[in-house]
Amino acid sequence: MAGEANADCLFCKIIAGEVPATVVRETDTTYAFRDINPQAPTHVLVIPKVHYPDAATLAAAEPQITADLLREAGEVAAEEKLESYRLVFNTGSGAGQTVFHAHAHLLGGRGMQWPPG
């Protein structure tokens, strides 16, 4: 069921403490941890604790948690002392999504090119 932990989901396992991660921040509704394959000097994943497959589904079902996720991304950026940063939400395998649990990539610490890729 949408919103409930998914036993097969890597990010649900990280939230449950079954898979280790380098935690940056945690709130009642969000979890932020360092990406194991960083694409920038700062690369943190900010995820909701509820399971939805992508950001659009999360936003439709849980707008307040979506807002929490965005606010926490800003808090992480501030703690990391990033003056500028990029937030990326990949949706679908064609866009590069490999873990189907809504999440934001917070990237910073270097100049970002446009278009991104």
Side-chain angles (χ1 to χ4, degrees), residues 95-112:
Q97 186 177 9
T98 58
V99 177
F100 292 87
H101 181 121
H103 60 284
H105 294 261
L106 169 64
L107 302 155
R110 68 168 170 81
M112 301 285 165

Side-chain angles (χ1 to χ4, degrees), residues 3 9 11 23 25 37 39-40 45 49 52 55-56 58 60-61 63-64 68 79 82 88 90 97-98 108-110:
C9 173
F11 290 172
V23 179
R25 280 181 66 89
N37 184 25
Q39 301 300 305
L45 300 177
K49 287 186 175 178
Y52 288 92
L58 172 67
Q64 184 57 55
D68 293 348
E79 287 182 0
L82 298 175
V88 176
N90 297 324
Q97 186 177 9
T98 58
R110 68 168 170 81

Side-chain angles (χ1 to χ4, degrees), residues 11-24:
F11 290 172
C12 288
K13 290 177 182 180
I14 288 172
I15 292 165
E18 298 169 14
V19 173
T22 304
V23 179
V24 175

Side-chain angles (χ1 to χ4, degrees), residues 45-117:
L45 300 177
V46 184
I47 67 174
K49 287 186 175 178
V50 292
H51 180 89
Y52 288 92
D54 56 56
T57 306
L58 172 67
E62 307 267 6
Q64 184 57 55
I65 293 176
T66 305
D68 293 348
L69 189 144
L70 291 171
R71 183 178 50 255
E72 281 306 303
E75 292 294 331
V76 170
E79 287 182 0
E80 297 284 321
K81 299 187 180 3
L82 298 175
E83 292 184 18
S84 58
Y85 57 91
R86 179 172 287 164
L87 288 177
V88 176
F89 292 90
N90 297 324
T91 301
S93 57
Q97 186 177 9
T98 58
V99 177
F100 292 87
H101 181 121
H103 60 284
H105 294 261
L106 169 64
L107 302 155
R110 68 168 170 81
M112 301 285 165
Q113 301 298 314
W114 195 262

